[in-house]
């Protein structure tokens, strides 16, 4: 067995030192050294003379691994149909958003069918039991309150659960490293060891990860490379709705969305979420436009609000919530060049209502319309739904599943729709008047005539 020592490795040049320094002695870069465990390897590799066995792809028996359902249909949906043996899932999200609640609920359901283990480094067994009681779970889930990696791995080997939850990876530490729990080196090393165990033993491990203020996982980005699936919890802690988005998934589609409502009995799946973010009153206000977004495989209608106001500083502000800020800057430039709508002396704020994040470009046209509506103080009709991507040449580009989006909007009582020309439906959609546009100028013309 090779002896393990700790080393400091430069992220830029790969140079190694035995002590931590602010500056890499090899490439002179600052703050690039991070602690790692280095196994001392035998000197002569030729003495090992090992070779791997090569197989042909067609000769390998492709076995579909059976999925283990979690009892929460929306959670299964983002996972791509359930948990996979040997798979490691990382669940990130703001504190208090419901990560521990969701995983405890899932384990309670799985516990009836397979062996489970809940490892907590944050809460005492009594606190978890209290939560279990509040959720009315009544399942005898094996608990372990532990933060030492070696002890956790030992317990996993002894107990042999099929599904294990580690809450959270930031609290776990290994004695092999001197740095504090939660440091980059500790988190990476522990995640790597746990992943190795999951693959070897063929068990599923769910890791809880904290996110920083900027919204990325605390600790290293490499955590995302180590695991098979990365899920993010989204949503306003002010509202009761919670979304889980698949950010990376080796066993399913990405950008799939699971929708939950936080109730006094824990998280409940919302099977029909399309109208969830449309709680508005009947008043028509300038700057509000409804987009038919497609998140994952389901259409989702979301209100986009824009506020355009004269800027009082030399650099006007552009601020987005739930939307891409760079994309807004681009849209404002296109609006100016190809639509003749100047916003260079205006502050522009855009918000996707309800704490939902919209990542697809189909929201472009709705953002542009909301901005123009606010600038001109002309409300957009209440029953108009909009979608379409805006190109740099001012063209409106088609988006995926146009027909489906239109149908969903019609189902929810929208009587008018504005969409890319190429997305115009072949037949008529009952109760809905659809306008197809090929350019931003055409869309603005249509808006003027409303
Ligand atoms: P928690 O699951 O501990 O979040 P995390 O592990 O992501 O930090 O917190 C869940 C939050 O939801 C907490 O603020 C209390 C609330 N809650 C409910 O509204 N209903 C419930 O049944 C439970 C258990 C928690
Ligand atoms: Mg928690």
């Amino acid at each position: 067995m090779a002896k393990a020592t700790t080393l400091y490795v430069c992220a830029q040049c790969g140079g190694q030192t035995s002590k931590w320094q602010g500056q890499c002695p090899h490439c002179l870069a600052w703050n690039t050294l991070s602690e790692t465990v280095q196994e001392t390897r035998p000197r002569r590799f030729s003495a090992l003379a090992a070779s791997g066995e090569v197989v042909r792809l067609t000769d390998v028996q492709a076995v579909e691994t059976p999925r283990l359902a979690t009892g929460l249909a929306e959670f299964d949906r983002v996972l791509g149909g359930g948990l996979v043996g040997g798979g490691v899932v990382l669940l990130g999200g703001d504190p208090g958003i419901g990560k521990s609640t969701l995983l405890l609920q899932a384990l309670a359901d799985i516990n009836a069918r397979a062996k489970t283990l809940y490892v907590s480094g944050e809460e005492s067994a009594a606190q978890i039991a209290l939560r279990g009681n509040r959720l009315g779970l009544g399942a005898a889930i094996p608990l372990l309150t532990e933060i030492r990696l070696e002890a956790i791995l030992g317990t996993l080997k002894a107990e042999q659960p099929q599904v294990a939850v580690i809450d959270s990876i930031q609290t776990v530490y290994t004695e092999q490293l001197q740095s504090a729990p939660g440091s980059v080196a500790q988190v990476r090393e522990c995640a790597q060891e746990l992943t190795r165990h999951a693959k070897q033993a063929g068990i599923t491990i769910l890791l809880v990860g904290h996110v920083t203020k900027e919204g990325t996982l605390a600790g290293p980005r490499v955590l995302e490379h180590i695991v098979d699936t990365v899920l993010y919890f989204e949503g306003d802690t002010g509202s009761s709705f919670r979304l889980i988005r698949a950010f990376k998934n080796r066993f399913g589609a990405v950008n799939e969305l699971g929708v939950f409502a936080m109730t006094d009995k824990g998280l409940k799946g919302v099977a029909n979420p399309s109208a969830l973010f449309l709680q508005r009153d009947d008043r028509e206000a300038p700057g509000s436009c409804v987009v038919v977004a497609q998140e994952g495989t389901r259409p989702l209608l979301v209100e986009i609000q824009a506020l355009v106001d004269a800027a009082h500083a030399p650099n006007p502000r552009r601020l987005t919530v739930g939307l891409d800020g760079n994309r807004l800057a681009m849209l404002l430039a296109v609006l100016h060049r190809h639509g003749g709508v100047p916003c260079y002396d205006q502050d522009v704020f855009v918000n996707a209502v309800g704490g939902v994040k919209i990542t697809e470009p189909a929201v472009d046209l709705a953002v542009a319309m909301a901005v123009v509506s606010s600038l001109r103080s002309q409300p957009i009709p209440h029953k108009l739904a909009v979608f379409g991507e805006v190109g740099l040449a001012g063209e409106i580009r088609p988006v995926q599943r146009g027909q489906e989006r239109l149908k969903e909007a019609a189902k929810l009582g929208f009587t008018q729709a504005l969409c890319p020309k190429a997305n115009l439906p072949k037949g008529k959609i009952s109760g809905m008047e659809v306008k197809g546009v090929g350019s931003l100028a055409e869309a603005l013309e249509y808006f003027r005539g409303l």
Side-chain angles (χ1 to χ4, degrees), residues 90-95 99 169-170 182 184 187 208-224 230-234 247 357:
L90 177 65
L91 180 63
D94 291 335
K99 302 180 291 293
I169 186 68
Q170 269 88 8
V184 173
V187 171
V208 172
H210 291 172
V211 296
T212 59
K213 266 193 260 150
E214 290 78 39
T216 50
L217 280 160
R221 249 345 251 276
V222 286
L223 212 53
E224 293 174 358
V230 180
L231 307 179
Y232 275 105
F233 243 118
E234 288 172 8
F247 178 73
K357 278 201 188 79

Side-chain angles (χ1 to χ4, degrees), residues 88 190-200 205 226-227:
V88 179
C190 294
Q192 244 158 9
E193 281 304 319
L194 287 165
T195 305
R196 201 169 301 161
H197 177 76
K199 304 281 170 212
Q200 262 169 12
I205 294 187
I226 297 169
V227 301

Side-chain angles (χ1 to χ4, degrees), residues 96 98-101 118 122-123 131 167-168 208 210:
K99 302 180 291 293
S100 309
T101 305
Y118 187 96
E122 298 191 341
E123 291 161 300
R131 187 200 299 261
D167 190 359
S168 66
V208 172
H210 291 172

